[in-house]
Amino acid sequence: MHNGAKKFNVLHETWVKVLFGSFALDHSTAQEQLYDFSEILYRHLRWVENACVNAEVAYSYEREQLQISARSVSDVAQWCSEALLELQSVMGDEDALEQRVQQDIDYMLYAMEKLKADSTAVVAFDRSLRYGADEFKPETLNTLLHFLFDESYKEYELIVIYSYAQRQIDDQRVFEIFQILIDESKFHLKSFARMMAKLGILSIPRFITKEIYEIDSLTDFLLAGIDEELAAKEECRAIAAKIDHDELRHFFDLINYQENYHIALMEEALERFRDQSSDK
Amino acid sequence: MLENEEIDEMMELYVDHMVNPRNYGRLEVYDAMGLGKNPDNGESVIVYFRLDDKGIIDEIAFQVKACSTTVVSGSIFTETVKGVDLEEALVLSNIMLDKLDELPPEDAACSEIVTMAFLAALEHYEARKSDPDAMVPTKFIEKTCEVKEDA
């Protein structure tokens, strides 16, 4: 693929921009549509990554620090349009993959044009620190804010790390495990980011440096990851126990219990790495 | 014990720097670079800076592999030393280190790791005067990043 590294980089930024554009919107058809677009862009990203790997082109998951702010649905549509136009300008149409990306962009731009007419207010950046009509006690809010900023970054980090790591492994089952963990992190990121939007503090996680996502030892990474999952479980349990909000209490219990299966999957991947090294 | 008003102000500051961390990133061209590390949990901070022709810190950037409080500390610290000369930056760093005991332990470790990264960058700057290829120094923190006990 010609200029594959640049295409990968712009595609990565576009995916993140459209993803967080979707998080900025309240429950609506537009929110679902933008989220679907972001999922398509993520798939494009992985296909372009595959093309880079096959062509032995070096690519990077590093990106610029991104700031998003909008006062209306129209502003969000504008932000997404600009990202899509930049992507359109760097993608060629030399093969079926690039043609597919270009055709998808055309449709997304068409949808954004329609959305630009929507002047509905967006509260995702107003820093109200209110959860809809609800207010939290200062210490609960403090714990919640730290959790959301830390965990939204970590979920994005995990998506990047597992996506990159999938290209480094031969074991089909470990590949599947990493895919499950990517999908799970996407759900967690979406949940946390939508919560941040409701509190008026939505922001795009800082970028992941090569030093973080280029893992020397996947075994050490998974061992540390299990400790992090256990810590996240404890944090979720603590928030669920203290938060005076029925919906959020149930949600944090859900996240706490979901981590159990993540740990089981990571232990399974570790076991397979151990078996492979003992076979050698 | 903090009053509610003080908690609100701290929360506002924290949110402002988390939503929009100042100087986050890397400098491709820099005069010095330093690393701060927490030996207990592997968290780390990198600080880069570049001076103008009058010796003023003209550009500064930081990156963290650490928690959000460290991002906020890095954002505030780099904002503070940007625009001053190295002598004044050293004074400000020492003031920061002197105040660590006044902070809650988990916040103290976050502020210390940022300051140590900057002090390592100052060492790097001095070392590069005689050896342009001098190794990037690492400084370790002494504070422990204890888990926050909630009220």
Side-chain angles (χ1 to χ4, degrees):
Chain A
M1 174 176 275
H2 177 66
N3 214 3
K6 170 79 177 168
K7 288 169 185 168
F8 183 83
N9 186 260
V10 176
L11 196 36
H12 181 196
E13 287 196 5
T14 310
W15 163 55
V16 171
K17 286 177 177 176
V18 174
L19 181 64
F20 278 77
S22 83
F23 296 151
L25 305 182
D26 286 337
H27 286 292
S28 63
T29 311
Q31 182 196 54
E32 292 308 317
Q33 187 181 43
L34 268 191
Y35 188 74
D36 285 347
F37 288 172
S38 76
E39 282 287 276
I40 292 170
L41 288 162
Y42 174 77
R43 293 202 291 276
H44 292 164
L45 182 74
R46 303 304 308 279
W47 297 339
V48 170
E49 179 176 28
N50 192 50
C52 287
V53 170
N54 289 341
E56 297 182 351
V57 170
Y59 63 95
S60 168
Y61 270 97
E62 291 193 0
R63 57 165 170 79
E64 291 296 309
Q65 188 65 11
L66 300 172
Q67 285 287 128
I68 176 173
S69 185
R71 301 174 96 164
S72 67
V73 174
S74 174
D75 290 346
V76 173
Q78 182 62 33
W79 150 270
C80 293
S81 283
E82 285 168 15
L84 290 163
L85 284 168
E86 193 191 348
L87 179 60
Q88 191 175 49
S89 72
V90 298
M91 291 301 293
D93 60 354
E94 66 190 47
D95 57 25
L97 167 55
E98 293 201 88
Q99 287 158 15
R100 159 67 193 264
V101 174
Q102 289 284 15
Q103 285 152 3
D104 287 349
I105 294 171
D106 284 344
Y107 181 75
M108 291 177 196
L109 283 169
Y110 162 76
M112 289 307 102
E113 278 309 308
K114 292 180 80 169
L115 217 52
K116 280 182 196 173
D118 188 341
S119 59
T120 307
V122 159
V123 300
F125 312 100
D126 68 7
R127 300 192 191 179
S128 71
L129 302 184
R130 293 171 63 89
Y131 195 73
D134 303 320
E135 266 188 85
F136 300 111
K137 290 180 198 150
E139 64 267 34
T140 308
L141 182 61
N142 189 38
T143 306
L144 187 60
L145 293 183
H146 278 80
F147 177 88
L148 291 173
F149 279 117
D150 279 331
E151 293 303 316
S152 59
Y153 169 78
K154 278 184 193 164
E155 298 299 349
Y156 169 67
E157 183 185 74
L158 288 174
I159 294 168
V160 168
I161 290 174
Y162 286 126
S163 297
Y164 185 77
Q166 276 185 316
R167 299 290 160 216
Q168 325 296 318
I169 50 172
D170 300 323
D171 185 312
Q172 186 58 35
R173 175 58 185 155
V174 175
F175 188 95
E176 281 171 12
I177 287 173
F178 285 3
Q179 189 57 51
I180 295 168
L181 293 170
I182 289 168
D183 294 339
E184 293 281 287
S185 282
K186 281 183 178 176
F187 170 69
H188 287 188
L189 176 61
K190 179 172 72 173
S191 306
F192 299 150
R194 285 184 177 171
M195 222 177 270
M196 292 169 88
K198 207 162 172 179
L199 288 161
I201 54 162
L202 182 64
S203 62
I204 296 178
R206 57 194 187 275
F207 65 87
I208 314 295
T209 61
K210 273 186 188 167
E211 291 79 10
I212 293 175
Y213 74 76
E214 288 184 352
I215 305 289
D216 289 334
S217 162
L218 280 171
T219 301
D220 290 347
F221 168 72
L222 288 169
L223 284 169
I226 289 171
D227 286 342
E228 283 192 17
E229 295 281 346
L230 289 168
K233 267 179 69 63
E234 183 51 33
E235 273 198 81
C236 289
R237 192 203 55 73
I239 294 174
K242 83 155 42 161
I243 204 159
D244 187 17
H245 194 285
D246 195 49
E247 176 198 322
L248 291 183
R249 186 168 54 250
H250 280 87
F251 174 75
F252 280 106
D253 276 338
L254 167 79
I255 300 292
N256 170 8
Y257 301 141
Q258 286 190 338
E259 306 291 12
N260 294 338
Y261 186 53
H262 298 173
I263 292 168
L265 287 169
M266 291 157 91
E267 283 171 344
E268 186 187 342
L270 270 174
E271 197 58 37
R272 292 185 77 87
F273 286 144
R274 285 195 191 107
D275 288 349
Q276 285 158 16
S277 61
S278 65
D279 287 347
K280 284 177 187 168
Chain B
M1 194 73 174
L2 291 174
E3 297 295 326
N4 275 358
E5 209 169 289
E6 288 176 294
I7 294 173
D8 285 350
E9 276 175 27
M10 284 177 69
M11 214 130 54
E12 208 174 294
L13 187 73
Y14 170 79
V15 167
D16 186 41
H17 283 273
M18 270 319 294
V19 167
N20 178 22
R22 291 17 158 217
N23 308 308
Y24 194 83
R26 78 167 89 216
L27 295 183
E28 295 304 330
V29 181
Y30 53 83
D31 290 320
M33 174 182 169
L35 197 61
K37 268 196 174 174
N38 182 336
D40 292 337
N41 61 11
E43 291 191 341
S44 61
V45 173
I46 303 174
V47 169
Y48 311 78
F49 68 75
R50 195 167 64 218
L51 303 178
D52 68 10
D53 52 8
K54 291 179 183 140
I56 302 290
I57 298 175
D58 177 36
E59 289 292 340
I60 186 162
F62 76 104
Q63 289 177 333
V64 310
K65 185 186 169 198
C67 68
S68 58
T69 308
T70 308
V71 176
V72 172
S73 297
S75 180
I76 294 171
F77 182 88
T78 54
E79 226 186 5
T80 306
V81 299
K82 190 174 180 177
V84 307
D85 62 22
L86 295 186
E87 204 176 321
E88 195 177 343
L90 181 60
V91 171
L92 291 168
S93 301
N94 287 329
I95 291 172
M96 173 64 88
L97 292 178
D98 287 343
K99 285 188 177 294
L100 290 180
D101 288 335
E102 296 171 22
L103 298 172
E106 65 279 0
D107 292 350
C110 298
S111 296
E112 187 185 11
I113 196 170
V114 170
T115 313
M116 295 314 268
F118 181 71
L119 291 175
L122 287 182
E123 254 183 45
H124 190 223
Y125 180 76
E126 288 302 319
R128 287 186 89 190
K129 286 179 181 171
S130 53
D131 175 9
D133 299 323
M135 272 181 62
V136 174
T138 300
K139 285 185 174 287
F140 292 93
I141 65 168
E142 290 175 2
K143 299 284 177 193
T144 309
C145 186
E146 290 171 14
V147 176
K148 206 168 264 183
E149 286 295 330
D150 295 315

